[in-house]
């Protein structure tokens, strides 16, 4: 019965998303998010789109899992990444003040084609990881509620998500994000109300919980987030794309509202993981199996629908940003609907194939991606904030340091890499890597700063 209800409800959401997509597609709507009448998105369309694309399924699971293991420290560590809306809004404001229409505009002016190529490489990998990770969560959910159904669910969501995304591009993503976010807020709100009203819930215990593994590594991750939060939004094309499609005041306010709404949602979802640790529940299947035994059926269904909606909303936005990247920013393909749709198809196919890899350590993708983005911290601070001219070689030093750091964390278990890292928990190693990447990056950029 539970499985049937989940399938029916999620099917209804898929149909609603298809109906919400624009009936007519235009090039400006597909790549620029304009309505059929040529209007830019309003404030709350932009806010809801920002929030729903950032509290995606992988993030919700990460917040809950880190809460389970490290208590409130783990959840706060993940929530700290949502300060990216503040740093991202600041970066967008500076870029627009200098007349740039995107990150690539500014990087191209400062560092030419090489600077853009490095940046585009990183964000292409990030977009691919978004498609892969959110499809993976869909598979995890359906395998948990109906053994063996994960692959079929992934394929269905991939096809339907691609269908309405390829029809309307960014304009479709914006419109469906609103529908999906409203559904998410209602469903998750009901589940959260049930959590705090349950007899065993104690807010004081949740706010001081150490998790099943102790809070230490949660605080380590909070330090990592603090080091990455300036550069992290700049390498997220979904956020950056939404920074240039409305007027400056609307954009500024959208980032501020998206910050507090998304942060509250992430912390709220983390409470479910913390509560699981407090009641002594065993860890089963990314907590999905744990929640199924902990909560009434309707609460469990509400959590699963929340995750599925967030996965769907991120997929369409990632595909829209992928088409903008390949068509608008690189110019590799003509600015046509067919070209944009072809790019979406390639990214969706690649992301779906990657789910066969089956890596369920969802935070690793964030850690690797965040470390790779750190080359932007010294470049943006010195070049964009301080308005100093930096030679290309300094940019490349920062880029190389970030790439090596990301690779070192990804390959930390390899025989050739493990001896190079300090002994300790993987998150302690990640913190050391981040410090070294920033130190080398700033040293290179400052040394390459042109005088005069």
């Amino acid at each position: 019965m539970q499985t049937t209800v989940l399938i029916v409800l999620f099917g209804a959401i898929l149909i609603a998303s298809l109906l919400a997509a624009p009936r007519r597609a235009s090039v400006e709507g597909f790549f620029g998010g304009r309505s059929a009448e040529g209007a830019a998105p309003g404030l709350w369309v932009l806010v809801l789109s920002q929030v729903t694309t950032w509290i995606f399924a992988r993030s919700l699971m990460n917040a809950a899992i880190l809460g389970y293991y490290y208590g409130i420290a783990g959840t706060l560590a993940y929530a700290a990444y949502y300060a990216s809306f503040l740093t991202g809004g600041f970066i967008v404001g500076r870029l627009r003040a200098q007349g740039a229409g995107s990150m690539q505009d500014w990087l191209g002016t400062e560092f030419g084609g090489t600077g853009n190529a490095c940046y585009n490489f990183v964000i292409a990998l990030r977009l691919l990881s978004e498609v892969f990770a959110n499809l993976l969560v869909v598979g995890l959910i359906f395998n948990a509620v109906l053994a063996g159904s994960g692959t079929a669910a992934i394929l269905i969501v991939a096809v339907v998500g691609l269908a309405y995304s390829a029809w309307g591009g960014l304009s479709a993503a914006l419109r469906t994000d609103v529908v999906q976010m409203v559904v998410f807020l209602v469903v998750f709100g009901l589940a959260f109300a049930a959590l705090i009203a349950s007899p065993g819930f104690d807010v004081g215990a949740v706010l001081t919980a150490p998790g099943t593994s102790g809070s230490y590594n949660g605080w380590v991750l909070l330090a990592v987030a603090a080091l990455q939060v300036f550069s992290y939004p700049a390498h997220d094309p979904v956020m950056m794309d939404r920074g240039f499609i409305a007027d400056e005041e609307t954009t500024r306010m959208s980032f501020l509202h998206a910050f507090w709404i998304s942060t509250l949602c992430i912390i709220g979802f983390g409470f479910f993981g913390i509560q699981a640790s407090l009641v002594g529940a065993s860890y089963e299947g990314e907590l999905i199996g744990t929640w199924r035994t902990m909560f009434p059926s309707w609460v469990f269904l509400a959590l699963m629908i929340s995750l599925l909606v967030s996965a769907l909303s991120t997929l369409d936005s990632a595909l829209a940003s992928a088409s903008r990247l390949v068509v608008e920013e690189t110019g590799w393909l003509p600015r046509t609907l067919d070209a944009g749709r072809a790019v979406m198809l390639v990214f969706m196919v690649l992301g779906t194939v990657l789910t066969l890899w089956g890596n369920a350590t969802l935070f690793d993708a964030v850690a690797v991606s965040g470390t790779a983005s750190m080359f932007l911290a010294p470049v943006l601070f010195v070049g964009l904030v301080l308005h100093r001219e930096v030679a290309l070689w300094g940019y490349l030093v920062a880029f190389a340091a970030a790439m090596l750091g990301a690779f070192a964390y990804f390959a930390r278990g390899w025989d050739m890499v493990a001896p190079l890292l300090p002994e300790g928990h993987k998150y302690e190693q990640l913190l050391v890597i981040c410090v070294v990447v920033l130190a080398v990056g700033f040293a290179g950029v400052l040394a390459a700063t042109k005088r005069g």
Side-chain angles (χ1 to χ4, degrees):
M1 179 63 180
Q2 193 179 69
T3 303
T4 302
V5 172
L6 180 65
I7 292 172
V8 170
L9 288 176
F10 188 51
I13 293 167
L14 289 174
I15 293 170
S17 298
L18 286 168
L19 294 176
R23 303 273 70 81
R24 290 184 295 133
S26 68
V27 171
E28 287 305 317
F30 194 95
F31 295 107
R34 298 274 170 171
S35 68
E37 295 74 32
L43 173 61
W44 285 102
V45 169
L46 210 52
V47 170
L48 294 177
S49 181
Q50 291 269 41
V51 173
T52 193
T53 52
W54 257 62
I55 55 169
F56 39 86
R58 182 180 69 188
S59 289
L60 295 172
M61 292 305 302
N62 281 334
I65 292 166
L66 293 177
Y68 177 84
Y69 281 116
Y70 311 118
I72 193 64
T75 291
L76 289 177
Y78 204 79
Y81 278 98
Y82 288 76
S84 292
F85 280 114
L86 302 180
T87 54
F90 172 77
I91 291 168
V92 165
R94 287 299 183 105
L95 290 171
R96 293 182 69 152
Q98 295 189 24
S102 65
M103 272 293 298
Q104 287 93 336
D105 265 2
W106 184 79
L107 289 172
T109 300
E110 298 291 320
F111 304 106
T114 302
N116 264 341
C118 293
Y119 177 76
N120 288 337
F121 171 74
V122 171
I123 66 172
L125 290 181
R126 175 169 175 78
L127 287 168
L128 188 57
S129 78
E130 293 306 311
V131 176
F132 150 68
N134 284 281
L135 286 174
L136 184 61
V137 171
V138 171
L140 289 170
I141 290 172
F142 277 91
N143 273 331
V145 299
L146 182 62
S149 65
T151 300
I154 286 172
L155 293 175
I156 291 169
V157 171
V159 170
V160 175
L162 177 63
Y164 75 77
S165 300
W167 181 254
L170 184 55
S171 62
L174 290 169
R175 289 179 61 163
T176 55
D177 283 349
V178 173
V179 173
Q180 292 157 357
M181 189 61 201
V182 170
V183 172
F184 173 86
L185 289 175
V186 171
V187 174
F188 177 62
L190 291 172
F192 186 73
L195 173 69
I196 61 177
S198 61
F201 183 83
D202 181 346
V203 68
V206 168
L207 293 177
T208 56
T212 60
S213 300
S215 61
Y216 172 74
N217 285 317
W219 299 121
V220 171
L221 280 180
L222 184 59
V224 170
L227 293 177
Q228 294 184 352
V229 75
F230 182 70
S231 58
Y232 198 85
H235 94 302
D236 181 76
V238 172
M239 180 184 285
M240 289 295 103
D241 283 351
R242 283 154 179 74
F244 297 91
I245 58 178
D247 64 84
E248 292 188 39
E249 179 60 18
T250 298
T251 300
R252 186 181 70 83
M253 292 304 298
S254 75
F255 276 84
L256 291 175
H257 287 308
F259 163 67
W260 69 263
I261 295 172
S262 59
T263 301
L264 289 178
C265 288
I266 286 295
I267 293 174
F269 215 91
F271 278 17
F272 284 90
I274 297 172
Q275 181 68 6
S277 72
L278 288 173
V279 301
S282 61
Y283 183 92
E284 295 181 27
E286 302 292 328
L287 288 180
I288 295 170
T290 302
W291 287 333
R292 193 173 193 178
T293 61
M294 279 180 60
F295 298 117
S297 292
W298 77 267
V299 176
F300 174 74
L301 284 172
L303 288 172
M304 296 305 99
I305 289 295
S306 298
L307 287 168
L308 291 169
V309 169
S310 61
L312 189 62
S313 68
T314 303
L315 285 172
D316 57 31
S317 294
L319 294 177
S321 289
S323 66
R324 280 177 56 86
L325 170 65
V326 176
V327 174
E328 294 243 295
E329 302 299 348
T330 67
W332 290 346
L333 295 174
R335 194 171 186 263
T336 64
L337 295 177
D338 286 344
R341 289 163 178 164
V343 173
M344 288 182 172
L345 175 62
V346 170
F347 271 76
M348 185 62 93
V349 169
L350 290 176
T352 303
V353 169
L354 281 174
T355 61
L356 301 176
W357 174 29
N359 178 23
T361 310
L362 294 173
F363 183 75
D364 277 1
V366 177
V368 171
S369 178
T371 305
S373 78
M374 292 181 78
F375 77 97
L376 292 166
V379 171
L380 290 172
F381 183 75
V382 176
L384 186 65
V385 179
L386 300 183
H387 302 290
R388 303 294 296 274
E389 189 176 352
V390 179
L392 176 61
W393 69 266
Y395 175 94
L396 294 176
V397 167
F399 178 77
M403 293 304 103
L404 288 173
F407 175 77
Y409 183 74
F410 175 78
R412 62 189 178 277
W414 297 8
D415 291 340
M416 60 179 287
V417 176
L420 303 176
L421 299 175
E423 291 186 10
H425 190 274
K426 63 180 180 179
Y427 296 151
E428 293 176 303
Q429 294 176 329
L430 177 60
L431 179 59
V432 171
I433 289 171
C434 290
V435 170
V436 172
V437 167
L438 276 182
V440 173
F442 268 101
V445 168
L446 291 171
T449 300
K450 298 179 180 179
R451 311 300 175 186

